[in-house]
Amino acid sequence: MTRHVGRRRLATVALAVAAVVAGQGGAVAATAAENLPPKQPVVADLQTGVKPCGAGETRPYVSDAPVLRAVLYDPVEDDRPGEFSGVRGEFEAWWQDADGVEQRRTETTYLAGSGQTAQWRLPSDIPADTVVSWRVRADDGRAVSPWSSDGSGTVCEFVRDDVTPARPVISSAEYPEDVFWSDGVGNYGSFTFDSPSDDVVAYRYFFVGGPGGTAEAATPGGPATVRYVPLSRATGSLEVRAIDRAGWSSPTVSYVFHIQAGRVPTGQWKLAEAPGAGTAAAETGPDARAGSGVTFGAAAPPGTGLTSTARLDGTGHGFLTPGSSVVDTAKTFAVGAWVRPARTDRDLTVVSQDADADTARTPAFSLASRTGATGAAWTFTFGGARVSGGSPEAGEWAYVLGQYNTETGTARLYVNGEETGTEQAATAAPSTGALQIGRARGNTGYRDRWQGEIGDVRTYDRLVVPDEVTELARRAPELRGHWSLESERDGVSPELYDGAPLRLSAGATLHRGPDPSCIPDLDPACPVVRYALVDNGDLELDGAGGHAATDEPVVDTGDSFTVGVVAQLPQDEGELPMTVLSQGGQHGDAFKLRYVPSLYRWQLVVSASDAPGAEETVVSQVRSADDVQRLAVVYDDATDRITLYVDGVSGPDATATVRSLWTGTGGLQVGRARTADGWGEYLHGVVDEVHAFAGALRADDIPALGHSTEPCLC
């Protein structure tokens, strides 16, 4: 107290002197303010390494001699114009050595600005397995703050741990190690990690090719469990490390397990019975009784392997039911089917299950097409959630699948192999009612009866993983034509499998490569002939009317299709667009694939209708640097997407969404397109290996086009 008063008296004297000087000389002099001591460091501003200050049960454990950190403050009143005011940190650390003698270390840091961090790296001789205490105070050169441990403050403590934890033991009841094979794709399993070390607080894990993360132990030294769902039939590998409270890691432990294919459906009805049948036989599960409004022998979606489906007439008699519950809605489940609605102007149920066998007036779940303010949408309704997405179209096939996951507590919807809508939280509840195909329970009986075709209805008691959904919804493309352009007779080049030939016009010349037995370098009489683009022949077009065409359409442009071609442009490309492939009607092209020299780009152009001046959608891609270009056009009717590929690659500007394409009635054209005054955009160049498929090839299949052999559509 006396020292403090003395400092006040010094300040008063200084003020008096300043006043005298000012009075005598008439000058203005600055006054010196009293210095205030730095602020006491608080626990929230203290760190041991990167861990917060703690003591007792909350003291941190570290793996090495840590850096002690403290944010120190000097009152703003001590700031003086033109002067640097700062603080130093005075650290103290102490512990009891093995003989019970206190050891103490101190450190004063460099001067730093107020609010900055002072730090001290402790010496390396800090003992292991010993409680080390530390505190800090601030010194501004004139006064010091209280220690961080004074008053309501606290001493910080830590323990240095120099022992790594023992390897963890991994176990799983569902997926035991090295057992051939364990159940299975789409089925969650528990994996438990447990280290013998009593200071382990977490486990870092990584499923090779899958997820990874950190699982925390409930208590130090305790186990931790994670849940994992395999996505493919394969040998799985899991890597785990134990982490102790000091941050030390154990050696990595590997765990190998073998995953079998997912369980078969709990119920499956292909609905491919002969016309007149009254019951649908089940592949798995109970047979389903058919109402009189069900007609078997209806068309099946092409490329699916289904031979036929069932047509439901939308009346009270248009339904099928096994008469019992097939789905345990208290657990994970999925339900899906191939469908083709005859209408979309009212609600139509694909599959549902009665909530209760006797009293409930609502379905436990429903997979349906529902109308709304913006039109129809596919929906999956369950447990208070409704997921909506996709656009049903009358007369168009779609594969729809709804799924509930008890692990996440969410419902999802897939349309044509792709997740659509937004995943929704749902509350699972058991149901004992019967499964219904083509109708749903309502307050006054069954309602929302399906009108159209349904086939291959399946229910599952597990997750159907994304790759499985994709495969269920896949429509394998079917080859409609392959013109290798190796030969011609009387102006006709044959299709390899006796399909529709290409008729060559004037200006279209089939070119053959050089005779391999005649080598110009050895025999001057041998003519110099260019090699064909692929194999031994190709088609040269003169750009002045030369083209080739089939008599009839090759692909249905109103449904999914793929066409591919190999093309070579001349060195003098000219300025006008040149079409390589097209197919359309009397006035326009449903699609055309052309090159625009002024843009140095390939374009895929589709029109909205077969009418003069119809609206067009154009996607494009820059021409590659290669002399020979492999081009492909894909229209996926299921996703309403068109895509252009150049040398097996597409880009962001080379794909677009179109609501639907129209069916062209004309033949496939090679080297020309419809124009306002008839035909035009003639190609000056060379083409080879024309492919046409009903169905959309996958992106991975596109690079196989443009060769003399067919791509494997496995």
Side-chain angles (χ1 to χ4, degrees):
M1 180 67 71
T2 303
R3 182 180 179 185
H4 185 65
V5 171
R7 292 175 68 89
R8 283 183 178 272
R9 292 184 62 190
L10 286 172
T12 304
V13 171
L15 287 170
V17 171
V20 171
V21 172
Q24 291 180 350
V28 178
T31 61
E34 176 186 3
N35 178 72
L36 298 176
K39 296 181 179 180
Q40 179 183 11
V42 297
V43 172
D45 291 332
L46 308 181
Q47 284 186 311
T48 302
V50 296
K51 300 179 179 180
C53 169
E57 292 296 322
T58 63
R59 74 169 68 97
Y61 284 72
V62 297
S63 59
D64 203 350
V67 175
L68 307 183
R69 294 181 172 89
V71 180
L72 305 178
Y73 295 93
D74 200 27
V76 296
E77 292 84 357
D78 282 356
D79 292 344
R80 297 178 179 81
E83 294 185 15
F84 176 75
S85 60
V87 289
R88 292 180 174 85
E90 294 183 1
F91 287 88
E92 283 189 351
W94 65 95
W95 65 90
Q96 300 288 329
D97 65 16
D99 297 325
V101 178
E102 181 182 277
Q103 301 294 321
R104 187 174 291 267
R105 302 284 188 273
T106 62
E107 176 75 7
T108 299
T109 65
Y110 292 108
L111 188 68
S114 176
Q116 296 186 355
T117 300
Q119 58 184 33
W120 174 30
R121 176 174 287 283
L122 288 172
S124 59
D125 63 350
I126 295 294
D129 300 320
T130 300
V131 176
V132 179
S133 303
W134 68 274
R135 63 181 183 173
V136 65
R137 66 181 180 182
D139 181 358
D140 66 2
R142 300 180 184 87
V144 294
S145 73
W147 287 102
S148 57
S149 58
D150 289 349
S152 59
T154 185
V155 170
C156 300
E157 297 176 348
F158 69 87
V159 174
R160 184 171 74 84
D161 181 358
D162 62 354
V163 178
T164 58
R167 290 180 173 85
V169 175
I170 307 171
S171 61
S172 173
E174 296 84 0
Y175 298 98
E177 189 170 23
D178 289 330
V179 172
F180 293 90
W181 294 79
S182 301
D183 185 35
V185 171
N187 186 54
Y188 276 91
S190 295
F191 291 80
T192 299
F193 321 136
D194 195 1
S195 171
S197 299
D198 60 6
D199 60 347
V200 166
V201 295
Y203 300 87
R204 292 190 184 136
Y205 66 92
F206 173 64
F207 288 92
V208 177
T214 300
E216 305 213 358
T219 58
T225 298
V226 298
R227 298 279 284 168
Y228 170 72
V229 58
L231 301 181
S232 63
R233 183 183 185 275
T235 294
S237 181
L238 169 62
E239 296 180 351
V240 182
R241 294 181 291 132
I243 308 299
D244 69 14
R245 54 193 171 187
W248 287 111
S249 170
S250 75
T252 299
V253 174
S254 294
Y255 182 91
V256 176
F257 54 104
H258 306 282
I259 309 154
Q260 67 183 4
R263 292 191 297 273
V264 299
T266 56
Q268 180 182 3
W269 303 267
K270 289 187 175 181
L271 306 184
E273 273 62 37
T279 301
E283 303 294 311
T284 57
D287 293 346
R289 175 176 61 88
S292 60
V294 176
T295 302
F296 291 107
T304 62
L306 297 176
T307 57
S308 65
T309 61
R311 181 180 297 114
L312 281 60
D313 64 5
T315 69
H317 302 289
F319 69 92
L320 298 100
T321 179
S324 62
S325 176
V326 179
V327 176
D328 184 351
T329 55
K331 300 177 181 178
T332 293
F333 73 92
V335 56
W338 275 104
V339 294
R340 183 167 68 171
R343 59 192 299 179
T344 58
D345 58 348
R346 67 173 178 84
D347 293 349
L348 304 173
T349 299
V350 180
V351 186
S352 71
Q353 183 165 290
D354 300 343
D356 185 273
D358 300 315
T359 60
R361 293 291 180 261
T362 58
F365 72 83
S366 69
L367 183 64
S369 166
R370 296 192 179 279
T371 58
T374 58
W378 296 110
T379 65
F380 177 55
T381 305
F382 174 68
R386 174 173 290 176
V387 186
S388 300
S391 300
E393 295 183 38
E396 183 172 300
W397 286 104
Y399 187 83
V400 291
L401 182 140
Q403 184 162 259
Y404 172 70
N405 184 345
T406 54
E407 300 286 332
T408 60
T410 55
R412 288 181 167 179
L413 173 66
Y414 295 84
V415 177
N416 292 319
E418 297 185 0
E419 185 174 2
T420 186
T422 303
E423 181 180 12
Q424 300 283 333
T427 303
S431 59
T432 58
L435 187 82
Q436 306 291 336
I437 299 174
R439 65 181 183 177
R441 180 74 72 87
N443 289 330
T444 58
Y446 289 102
R447 54 179 171 78
D448 302 340
R449 296 174 175 86
W450 182 263
Q451 186 172 347
E453 286 78 29
I454 299 181
D456 199 21
V457 178
R458 302 186 186 205
T459 62
Y460 295 85
D461 62 352
R462 61 176 179 86
L463 289 184
V464 181
V465 301
D467 284 352
E468 291 179 309
V469 179
T470 299
E471 193 60 30
L472 286 169
R474 184 168 182 251
R475 295 170 59 181
E478 299 176 4
L479 183 67
R480 288 288 185 261
H482 180 187
W483 297 269
S484 201
L485 299 170
E486 298 287 313
S487 64
E488 64 93 10
R489 184 177 181 180
D490 298 330
V492 174
S493 185
E495 196 273 332
L496 286 181
Y497 306 102
D498 298 326
L502 284 171
R503 299 189 183 277
L504 279 56
S505 74
T509 305
L510 193 79
H511 166 79
R512 296 286 296 175
D515 182 351
S517 65
C518 189
I519 304 174
D521 290 343
L522 301 179
D523 184 356
C526 290
V528 178
V529 182
R530 73 170 179 85
Y531 287 91
L533 300 187
V534 181
D535 284 354
N536 299 316
D538 54 31
L539 183 65
E540 295 178 339
L541 301 172
D542 64 1
H547 68 278
T550 60
D551 293 335
E552 301 292 335
V554 172
V555 294
D556 179 0
T557 54
D559 202 349
S560 299
F561 70 88
T562 302
V563 293
V565 65
V566 180
Q568 183 182 49
L569 299 172
Q571 291 186 351
D572 181 10
E573 299 172 349
E575 299 179 355
L576 300 177
M578 297 182 289
T579 293
V580 181
L581 295 176
S582 68
Q583 185 177 304
Q586 292 184 346
H587 305 287
D589 295 308
F591 81 90
K592 62 182 174 183
L593 170 59
R594 70 183 183 182
Y595 179 68
V596 183
S598 61
L599 301 176
Y600 203 69
R601 298 181 77 88
W602 293 101
Q603 288 185 342
L604 167 59
V605 183
V606 299
S607 61
S609 65
D610 185 15
E615 180 183 357
E616 294 181 334
T617 300
V618 181
V619 298
S620 66
Q621 189 156 319
V622 174
R623 172 185 175 179
S624 74
D626 294 337
D627 180 48
V628 177
Q629 316 271 290
R630 283 177 162 79
L631 311 170
V633 170
V634 177
Y635 170 55
D636 189 345
D637 187 42
T639 59
D640 295 327
R641 188 176 300 137
I642 57 170
T643 307
L644 169 64
Y645 292 89
V646 177
D647 289 337
V649 178
S650 184
D653 297 329
T655 186
T657 298
V658 292
R659 187 67 178 93
S660 61
L661 295 187
W662 51 279
T663 298
T665 56
L668 178 67
Q669 306 293 322
V670 180
R672 68 175 183 174
R674 287 286 187 184
T675 59
D677 54 357
W679 292 103
E681 295 190 5
Y682 289 99
L683 173 66
H684 181 204
V686 184
V687 296
D688 204 353
E689 300 299 337
V690 178
H691 279 94
F693 294 86
L697 264 67
R698 296 170 294 194
D700 291 345
D701 298 325
I702 296 299
L705 295 177
H707 302 279
S708 58
T709 56
E710 313 306 340
C712 177
L713 305 178
C714 307

